[in-house]
Structure formats: C-alpha cells, structure tokens
Amino acid sequence: MMRHKGRMTRDGIRIHEPGDFAGMHAAGKIAAQILDEVADLVQVGETTGTLDEFIERRVEELGSTSATIGYKGYQHASCISVNHVVCHGIPGDKKLKDGDILNIDVTVVVDGWYGDTSRMYVAGKLSRKSERLIQVTHDALMRGIEAVRPGNTFGDIGFAIQSFVEGQRMSVVRDFCGHGLGQVFHAPPNVLHYGRAGTGPVLEEGMFFTIEPMVNLGRPETKVLADDWTAVTRDKSLSAQFEHSVGVTRDGAEIFTLSPAGLFHPTYEM
Ligand code: MF3
Ligand code: CO
Ligand code: CO
C-alpha cells in the first residue's frame, strides 16, 4: 500500500482521498471512546496519574497505539490540564479536589491514522463560572466546525471562534493552535482559533485537521513551566479546551472524534 496518497496544496496541506475518511473515522472513534470511558474515573481524590494509567491500558486493549508516548520526549498517553493549566498538563500524583475542572487530551494511532480529541471534565461540584467557561468553549469549537466547508477559509474558522468567545467577555489563547493531521500527528496548516474572515488558506474537500480552542476567563497570555510542557495562564485564570479531529467533505465537515456514548458535552450532566 502507498503510505501517503493524495496531493498537496501550495500551502503544504494534504488533500486526502475519499477512502481515507474511513481510516480517520476508526482512529477518531477509539480516541473518543477512551474519553467516554475515563469519565467515570474523574472523581475527587483521584490522581491524574491514575486516569492516565487507565487511558494507556485502554489504548492498548483497543488495539491502538499512543501518539503521545515518545512524542518529543513526552512519556504519557494523555495530557491532563487542571484549572489554570491551558494545555499539555503532565499526569501525576496530585489529587483532584472538589470543583476542579480538567481537560483530558488523547491521541491514538489506528492502522497509521491519527485520532486526536479532548474534552472537559469536572471533579465534584461544578461552579457557575466554570460551567459558563466550559459551555462557551464547547460552543466555540462547534461554531468553528460550522465554518468548515469547501470555499471557506481557515480565517473564517478562527473568526467564528474568536468573535463568539470575545462576545462572551472571555479570551482565546493565541500561543497554541490546531493542526493538520492524518497519517502524521502534526502537519500544516496551523489552525488558528482567532483571525479575520476570508483570510488564510481556502478549505478543500479532503483536508483533515483539528480544531481545539483554548479559552480563558481572564487574559489570553500563557507561559510554559520549567517542565517544558505544562502551559498555564499568566494571570492564573481558569482555562478550558475542547478538541475534535475533522475532515472537509463536499458540503461541510465530518467529525471523526464524535463521542460514541454522546458524552462529549456536557459530561457533568451524566
Ligand atoms: N494532543 C495534543 C494536540 O492536540 C498534543 C499533545 S503532544 C504531547 O495536539 F506530547 F504533549 F502529548
Ligand atoms: Co491536536
Ligand atoms: Co489533542
């Protein structure tokens, strides 16, 4: 089998073939299923390391491999980002406390195809302000996905997200973005979660990429801690993120990482 079929745009964005959607769907479904399964374990007193051990085991049991173990030296099957951690939180032995909100991000490889998705969870009781942050972040992702169709641009996606989030008086993180993926983890383009309508590369059927907005209650600036991974809000405000892997279809988007159990949002209503 040819490893990389299809052609490439001038911007270096791969145009996949119709048959490639099935591979992405299979990978995305396993990543989403694992995020469904871990939901029950998110409890006060549980450690993020325990959640990651469960995820690592399920990745193997489901016949997939982790894309993050060994990626640039990263050693875990998930990133778990609690409260003011924006992304790339490293699982460890810190216990979850009542009211903590956390993003769990899993990327698996199935038959060479990558499935990358993340969503928000809560330990114990959800505060009103956390609930609002999670709701706005989820809706921002879905508005971004609604802008996905051939002929629209990547700037249209960023604009849809940014204008919505800022209209809710929250801020969009600029320091991290979504990315092309397929038979590689991170590929062109950078999918910005802010921008101007009509700018950037034009979307074409067969493009595969993630949209993964990070939204802060305070200011958008972040910094990376001394562990070289953990990104936090500079002002210590709460941050949330949701991520789907999508493919551009003839007239819209296919979401590869839909939750098989319908738990993508709101997980706290289970
Ligand atoms: N899954 C993350 C993303 O959405 C990347 C994590 S890389 C890691 O792109 F090494 F930190 F795991
Ligand atoms: Co991603
Ligand atoms: Co991810």
Side-chain angles (χ1 to χ4, degrees):
M1 189 183 87
M2 293 272 293
R3 193 170 127 72
H4 294 292
K5 296 177 305 203
R7 64 181 180 85
M8 203 88 113
T9 69
R10 300 165 30 173
D11 304 294
I13 305 170
R14 183 163 295 283
I15 305 300
H16 298 86
E17 298 184 340
D20 297 338
F21 281 72
M24 289 299 286
H25 183 84
K29 186 176 171 181
I30 286 187
Q33 182 187 329
I34 293 168
L35 289 187
D36 286 349
E37 291 179 356
V38 79
D40 281 337
L41 271 68
V42 177
Q43 301 285 351
V44 174
E46 195 64 88
T47 70
T48 55
T50 309
L51 303 179
D52 181 70
E53 281 166 26
F54 171 81
I55 290 166
E56 182 174 349
R57 177 164 65 77
R58 292 301 290 149
V59 168
E60 284 168 26
E61 286 171 355
L62 292 166
S64 54
T65 57
S66 169
T68 55
I69 296 174
Y71 178 78
K72 295 185 177 170
Y74 195 78
Q75 294 178 3
H76 304 275
S78 62
C79 297
I80 304 186
S81 303
V82 183
N83 293 339
H84 76 297
V85 179
V86 172
C87 63
H88 302 163
I90 301 174
D93 51 20
K94 236 181 94 178
K95 290 194 169 94
L96 294 172
K97 302 184 309 296
D98 189 36
D100 280 351
I101 59 167
L102 51 151
N103 173 278
I104 306 183
D105 189 339
V106 171
T107 310
V108 300
V109 192
V110 177
D111 284 339
W113 297 98
Y114 285 70
D116 185 5
T117 182
S118 79
R119 63 179 87 147
M120 294 303 293
Y121 302 81
V122 60
K125 188 170 158 37
L126 185 62
S127 74
R128 288 297 295 272
K129 75 173 185 181
S130 297
E131 178 172 9
R132 218 181 126 246
L133 171 65
I134 290 171
Q135 181 74 49
V136 167
T137 309
H138 171 272
D139 293 354
L141 168 61
M142 299 321 284
R143 281 171 187 248
I145 293 172
E146 278 165 24
V148 175
R149 77 179 68 97
N152 274 6
T153 70
F154 280 94
D156 292 330
I157 298 172
F159 176 77
I161 293 168
Q162 181 183 17
S163 57
F164 173 68
V165 169
E166 293 180 354
Q168 304 294 320
R169 311 195 66 82
M170 298 182 193
S171 65
V172 174
V173 169
R174 314 285 202 272
D175 301 337
F176 299 91
C177 56
H179 48 92
L181 85 172
Q183 287 176 304
V184 291
F185 194 175
H186 293 111
N190 287 332
V191 180
L192 306 182
H193 304 114
Y194 58 93
R196 297 218 313 272
T199 64
V202 177
L203 298 172
E204 294 182 45
E205 183 176 354
M207 289 179 175
F208 297 163
F209 52 88
T210 71
I211 307 178
E212 47 184 300
M214 287 138 277
V215 174
N216 299 346
L217 276 182
R219 294 192 50 80
E221 291 81 12
T222 70
K223 66 174 179 191
V224 175
L225 302 185
D227 61 22
D228 276 346
W229 284 105
T230 311
V232 300
T233 54
R234 280 195 174 265
D235 65 4
K236 305 265 175 43
S237 68
L238 286 177
S239 187
Q241 179 179 26
F242 283 86
E243 174 177 27
H244 270 315
S245 298
V246 305
V248 183
T249 62
R250 193 175 57 81
D251 57 1
E254 176 176 348
I255 302 176
F256 297 124
T257 45
L258 286 175
S259 162
L263 299 177
F264 190 67
H265 173 79
T267 51
Y268 47 84
E269 271 180 14
M270 288 190 319

